[in-house]
């Protein structure tokens, strides 16, 4: 089974594809205080959970969502129809890094998707290009809560430079021409909810859909769970930065 489809299945019960609760997503979006008729861009939108919540909060806003997963975008389209906002969102199946800078947005969302640009630094540089003067970005990124152990690094298949600590993460984002005007650091319960949902949803799907695909899904779930429980739990944090373009 393709990795994208496994990821789509894993997020079925936690469509916010990051360790952030629904209440905190709403809080961050409210904090943005978008203007009337705001334009929103979501890079690596998945099922567009952030975008659809923003459209519910800002009833005259319109949005573009970009993702490489056809399955996630199909689910996003269905959610938009149920929510009654399908006329206010356009979904684009393409790599986020290839989305053209054709207009300026009031808010750009890039949560848990900086890898699509090669890391945090290139991601925030690209995000800035989409923004109007004084425009806002919500950028969600992992950071080291504490110094990673060799075991954690081995489990993640990462080096110590894969992430910054929290001060380094803020500094890297701001170096691209931003001020951090607010931020939210996810707590351990949000991480646990996200990871148990990710792995548990896959295991349940495997149990209920026996066959070759089920074995691949089960293996992915167990590998990920071991990486989390024996590797980065309590070591890797997650912060969502509300950034304002400067200059």
């Amino acid at each position: 089974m393709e990795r994208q489809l496994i990821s789509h299945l894993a997020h079925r019960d936690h469509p916010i594809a990051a360790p952030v609760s629904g209440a905190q997503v709403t809080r961050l979006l409210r904090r943005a205080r978008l203007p009337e008729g705001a334009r929103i861009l979501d890079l690596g939108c998945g099922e567009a959970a952030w975008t659809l919540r923003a459209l519910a909060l800002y009833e005259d806003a319109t949005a573009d969502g970009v993702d490489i997963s056809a399955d996630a975008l199909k689910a996003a389209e269905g959610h938009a129809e149920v929510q009654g906002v399908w006329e206010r969102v356009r979904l684009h199946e393409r790599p986020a890094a290839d989305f053209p800078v054709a207009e300026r947005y009031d808010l750009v969302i890039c949560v848990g998707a900086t890898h699509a640009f090669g890391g945090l630094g290139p991601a925030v540089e690209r995000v800035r290009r989409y923004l109007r003067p004084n425009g806002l970005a919500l950028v969600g990124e992992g950071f080291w809560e504490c110094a990673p152990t060799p075991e954690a690094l081995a489990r993640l298949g990462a080096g110590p430079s894969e992430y910054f600590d929290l001060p380094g993460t803020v500094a890297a984002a701001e170096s691209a021409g931003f001020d951090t005007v607010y931020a939210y650091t996810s707590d351990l319960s949000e991480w646990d909810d996200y990871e148990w949902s990710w792995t548990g949803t896959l295991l349940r799907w495997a149990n209920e859909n026996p066959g070759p695909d089920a074995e691949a899904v089960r293996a992915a779930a167990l590998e990920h769970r071991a990486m989390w429980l024996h590797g980065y739990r309590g070591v890797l944090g997650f912060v969502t930065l509300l950034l304002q373009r400067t200059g």
Side-chain angles (χ1 to χ4, degrees):
M1 182 176 287
E2 293 183 0
R3 181 178 177 181
Q4 290 178 24
L5 182 53
I6 290 176
S7 178
H8 171 64
L9 290 174
H11 289 109
R12 184 181 64 184
D13 297 319
H14 199 294
I16 299 169
V20 186
S21 70
Q24 294 300 337
V25 170
T26 297
R27 185 164 172 252
L28 285 160
L29 290 168
R30 287 191 187 279
R31 190 72 177 236
R33 297 195 295 271
L34 298 181
E36 292 184 7
R39 290 287 287 133
I40 299 167
L41 173 63
D42 192 344
L43 297 166
C45 66
E47 296 186 18
W50 289 77
T51 294
L52 296 180
R53 195 163 298 219
L55 293 179
L57 291 171
Y58 300 98
E59 296 183 356
D60 55 359
T62 56
D64 288 293
V66 186
D67 204 276
I68 59 173
S69 171
D71 295 296
L73 293 176
K74 184 177 180 181
E77 183 177 341
H79 298 325
E81 290 181 1
V82 169
Q83 192 172 308
V85 298
W86 62 273
E87 292 182 318
R88 294 197 283 133
V89 62
R90 295 176 298 183
L91 300 171
H92 309 266
E93 184 184 345
R94 63 190 304 169
D98 293 342
F99 191 69
V101 183
E103 66 171 291
R104 303 289 181 170
Y105 293 85
D106 298 285
L107 174 67
V108 176
I109 301 168
C110 183
V111 177
T114 61
H115 60 274
F117 301 90
L120 177 61
V124 289
E125 289 177 4
R126 182 71 177 209
V127 163
R128 192 179 190 278
R129 295 175 59 193
Y130 294 108
L131 285 170
R132 294 174 179 167
N134 293 320
L136 297 167
L138 280 168
V139 177
E141 176 72 338
F143 69 93
W144 296 126
E145 287 267 18
C146 59
T149 64
E151 182 181 13
L153 292 173
R155 292 277 185 178
L156 281 167
S161 62
E162 185 81 9
Y163 299 101
F164 300 103
D165 60 10
L166 184 55
T169 301
V170 173
E174 292 189 333
S175 69
F178 288 101
D179 282 333
T180 303
V181 295
Y182 189 66
Y184 176 71
T185 305
S186 300
D187 62 27
L188 188 59
S189 67
E190 286 171 301
W191 264 111
D192 285 353
D193 180 53
Y194 175 70
E195 297 291 3
W196 286 123
S197 293
W198 203 101
T199 57
T201 298
L202 288 182
L203 289 172
R204 184 167 181 172
W205 188 93
N207 289 336
E208 295 172 357
N209 297 272
D213 282 346
E215 294 306 312
V217 168
R218 173 177 290 277
L222 295 178
E223 180 183 2
H224 186 98
R225 190 175 71 185
M227 182 170 61
W228 164 51
L229 288 176
H230 300 290
Y232 63 84
R233 185 177 186 269
V235 175
L236 186 62
F238 194 85
V239 63
T240 306
L241 304 172
L242 179 60
L243 303 169
Q244 185 170 39
R245 176 179 166 168
T246 60

